[in-house]
Amino acid sequence: MQDNATEVTAAGIARLAGVGRAAVSNWRRRHADFPRPVGGTETSPAFALAEVEEWLRRHRKLAEVPLKERVWQQLAGHPDGPVTALVHAGCALLLIHDRPPVWLDISSGTDERLAALLPTALDEVLTPRVPGTARPGRTDRSRVNGQNPVNTQPAATPVTPATPATPATQATPATPPTPALAIPTAPRLLPSVPLLRGVAELAADRGARPTFEFLLGRHLDANPRQYTLTPPDLAGLMAALVGTPATVLDPSCGTGALLRAVADRPDRRLHAQDSSPELAALTALRLALHTRAPVHAAAGDTLRADAYPGLRADAVLCHPPFNERNWGHDDLAYDPRWEYGFPARTESELAWVQHALARLRDGGTAVLLMPPAVASRRSGRRIRADLLRRGALRAVVALPAGAAPPYSVPLHLWVLRRPDRTHAQPELLLVDAGRFTAEGRGGPDWPGVRETVLDAWGAFDRDGGVEERPGVARSVPVIELLDDDVDLTPARRLPPPTDTDGAGRLADVRARLDETLRLTAELAPPPAEPVPSAASGRLPLTTVGELARAGALVMRTGGHGGRARVPVLTDHDVLAGTAPSGTLPESEEEPVLTEPGDVVLPVLGGGAVARVVDEATARAVLGRNLVLLRPDPAALDAWFLAGFLRGTANHRQASSYASTATRLDVRRLQLPRLAPDEQRRYGERFHALDAFERALREAGRLGEQLVRGMYDGLTDGTIAPD
């Protein structure tokens, strides 16, 4: 079977050719032989991938479609949707990973033969790795229940049924949980065979697990509003707080980031459930590729239809949905999980807290990500009080802003332990890691957060208390918290920082500000001298596109994934002049790494900005919405290039305004044709202007920090008014 049915959008064509979308629009207007749309809409047409590839080759705009791009476009344009394609690809990759000879055998014949033999081969590998996987040949109950057709058949071995409902809860029966995975039938697999062959070829080059991570990362990146992700650093911190448990449950697993962060052990058992069938399926495959431990996964509403009512896990990790009103308040009034009180309709998070405690063994640990309002809302104070009295809530950690979506809110971690004994004098650990918020838009200082939180929790868990650190950590007797509000917000219970952390720090900021202001005055450019009218003739111009075709520079665009733990230079870093601070979905996609002398430009937002990469920014991954220009030093001076590319008029003529966001076509940016010596003259002046701009920005940042610190110190009593 050919992959002619695979469709690609204009944005996909631009990625294949390494150009902007404006260039694709120009091709459609200028070339009568450009492929006609085969789908999509009038404003967002879709084209046949095979026709586009052939046209690009014929016009020498692309010698060969990279394999990873071909596979991604096949997945994104799959006739049954990208999620079904990703599940089929994951099943094949698990077979390739576990039993490569079997894959080589069944893939050696025709497409029809591969589709016919694959279900049996998948049954042999999936059933032991993902217990409860639905086998082919059964009625498709997921369609009957109106669920996403990722689960194409019900389980042959049913999932453990949920707790029987009381008469009061039977008015609105919940849909029972279903297996996360179902082995697809041959007819369902046949349209995916070209994709699976491409996936196998990609896995031969980079491995089965990295291939799935690449495809999953691209899918998540292409649909950012559909998924709430748990960042890897936060997932690692939450996993570290529970230690090394043998049985781990995530009742709201999402894409499986929390269970994936738990260190692999041969005797570990993983349990996952999510209300989204597609997320449950993707998580099951992701975990099966990541670990040899059995992965129990189910799709269903955890609170209404728990797939594991008899489970007593060593640990529960959970990033639950926030602020849900329809969590089951009217249906679950008599549920036995509410040991600490029936949650109010507005307290869905406290329902998840009690569900986690109900699925723990005595002494087991749960870590949940919570919105900060849960620590102080009056509607939840009675449940919070009972959690404290019985020793179930052990720690509340305030994370810095930017730790997880929503990034503007400083979220909390709640560490809970199912009581196995009565605490004579129970205490609660409070930690505030807010001081590790990074300047600007970058993420938190995760090494600092991790060290502070784990040190405090380790001492508290070992000794029952922790040495007080003003403004950072304190173990508070429960009796102090049991007032009318039962407010557990760490910042409201911790003593303010000491003078050393306050006035002493502000003195250092003031000294740095004085030095920066002195440097700014020295770097201020001299008065501008106008060019005589006789010498102001128009210089001959060239464009970035022409320079790229002539080999004077290399042009690269930012990627959609990269290796873990590598800093990412984002468009916000370029605009703000800060160090690399971003992250990209983890994958084995080959990232674009910056080098000293590169010129980086953001393509969205309309700002006339171009940044020359220095040693502090080098060897970072180029982020999304950025274009990198790597000039040949023998032909182009980097500072000359960056300076002329920053011209406001230059940006205006190279920008498109077809949508609500301004997009820059970097290839259309202009600069004059000058000899190397003349380029260096301009480059030295542009370099001096950049140093002055950086000094101004640093002075502004230090000034804001000093003003904020003075206000805080005067109002909290750590700084005298005179």
Side-chain angles (χ1 to χ4, degrees), residues 560-609:
H560 296 267
R563 303 187 184 99
R565 306 295 180 184
V566 179
V568 176
L569 183 68
T570 70
D571 53 346
H572 302 284
D573 298 330
V574 174
L575 292 169
T578 55
S581 64
T583 59
L584 287 174
E586 183 180 345
S587 74
E588 288 300 313
E589 179 179 359
E590 190 64 29
V592 178
L593 298 180
T594 59
E595 296 179 1
D598 290 344
V599 178
V600 181
L601 301 88
V603 296
L604 291 179
V609 176

Side-chain angles (χ1 to χ4, degrees), residues 394-395 427-429 455-466 475:
R394 307 299 295 136
E427 294 189 348
L428 177 72
L429 173 65
D455 285 353
W457 170 249
F460 180 81
D461 192 35
R462 181 181 62 252
D463 305 327
V466 65
S475 54

Side-chain angles (χ1 to χ4, degrees), residues 33-372:
D33 62 338
F34 193 87
R36 300 296 180 188
V38 296
T41 64
E42 184 176 350
T43 57
S44 181
F47 306 84
L49 175 62
E51 295 179 8
V52 167
E53 178 186 349
E54 192 277 331
W55 188 90
L56 291 173
R57 283 204 190 100
R58 189 168 67 248
H59 287 263
R60 297 183 179 179
K61 300 188 182 297
L62 186 66
E64 183 63 46
V65 177
L67 176 61
K68 63 180 182 180
E69 284 296 336
R70 179 197 297 274
V71 171
W72 167 247
Q73 295 299 341
Q74 287 176 323
L75 187 146
H78 193 281
D80 290 332
V83 174
T84 297
L86 194 53
V87 171
H88 291 179
C91 289
L93 286 168
L94 186 59
L95 177 63
I96 294 169
H97 182 268
D98 282 10
R99 303 184 183 183
V102 175
W103 168 261
L104 292 175
D105 176 49
I106 65 175
S107 63
S108 60
T110 64
D111 288 358
E112 289 75 12
R113 178 177 181 270
L114 174 56
L117 296 179
L118 190 53
T120 301
L122 291 177
D123 188 11
E124 295 176 357
V125 71
L126 279 173
T127 301
R129 298 295 303 280
V130 187
T133 297
R135 290 172 173 154
R138 305 277 182 154
T139 304
D140 190 349
R141 189 174 68 190
S142 65
R143 292 179 179 270
V144 175
N145 290 333
Q147 298 176 354
N148 186 303
V150 167
N151 299 319
T152 54
Q153 293 89 20
T157 304
V159 178
T160 306
T163 303
T166 65
T169 67
Q170 289 176 349
T172 308
T175 301
T178 60
L181 278 176
I183 298 172
T185 60
R188 293 293 300 274
L189 283 169
L190 190 57
S192 300
V193 169
L195 167 67
L196 301 186
R197 293 190 186 279
V199 165
E201 187 178 352
L202 195 60
D205 178 52
R206 53 174 67 195
R209 183 189 302 165
T211 297
F212 186 75
E213 289 294 326
F214 160 69
L215 295 174
L216 176 61
R218 284 287 289 265
H219 173 68
L220 298 176
D221 189 56
N223 302 275
R225 296 185 179 180
Q226 295 183 22
Y227 307 102
T228 299
L229 306 180
T230 308
D233 290 301
L234 176 58
L237 173 60
M238 294 174 68
L241 286 168
V242 300
T244 56
T247 305
V248 190
L249 166 68
D250 185 347
S252 180
C253 62
T255 59
L258 291 175
L259 291 177
R260 189 171 177 268
V262 179
D264 194 16
R265 280 175 42 173
D267 60 340
R268 174 155 290 143
R269 296 180 301 280
L270 304 178
H271 298 260
Q273 183 172 353
D274 199 274
S275 59
S276 167
E278 64 180 48
L279 286 179
L282 295 176
T283 291
L285 289 167
R286 189 182 195 189
L287 295 175
L289 282 163
H290 181 71
T291 177
R292 298 299 303 182
V295 178
H296 302 266
D301 187 326
T302 296
L303 295 181
R304 288 188 173 94
D306 182 16
Y308 312 106
L311 179 65
R312 295 297 176 264
D314 297 315
V316 174
L317 295 171
C318 186
H319 178 174
F322 297 162
N323 303 318
E324 279 199 335
R325 294 299 182 97
N326 186 27
W327 58 267
H329 178 271
D330 296 336
D331 308 329
L332 303 172
Y334 300 97
D335 196 288
R337 289 173 290 183
W338 315 142
E339 297 181 47
Y340 302 88
F342 181 41
R345 189 185 303 276
T346 57
E347 295 286 355
S348 62
E349 296 86 1
L350 291 180
W352 285 98
V353 164
Q354 295 189 75
H355 173 80
L357 286 168
R359 294 297 160 261
L360 286 173
R361 64 165 176 80
D362 290 347
T365 304
V367 180
L368 284 81
L369 185 66
M370 297 272 107

Side-chain angles (χ1 to χ4, degrees), residues 666-704:
V666 176
R667 292 177 178 270
R668 293 172 55 189
L669 288 171
Q670 299 175 336
L671 63 159
R673 299 178 185 270
L674 294 177
D677 290 343
E678 192 68 11
Q679 288 185 32
R680 282 189 287 273
R681 282 186 57 216
Y682 275 100
E684 290 172 359
R685 189 65 181 270
F686 286 138
H687 195 174
L689 281 174
D690 179 78
F692 176 62
E693 182 182 35
R694 288 173 182 266
L696 281 176
R697 187 181 291 119
E698 178 68 6
R701 186 184 68 82
L702 290 171
E704 290 180 4

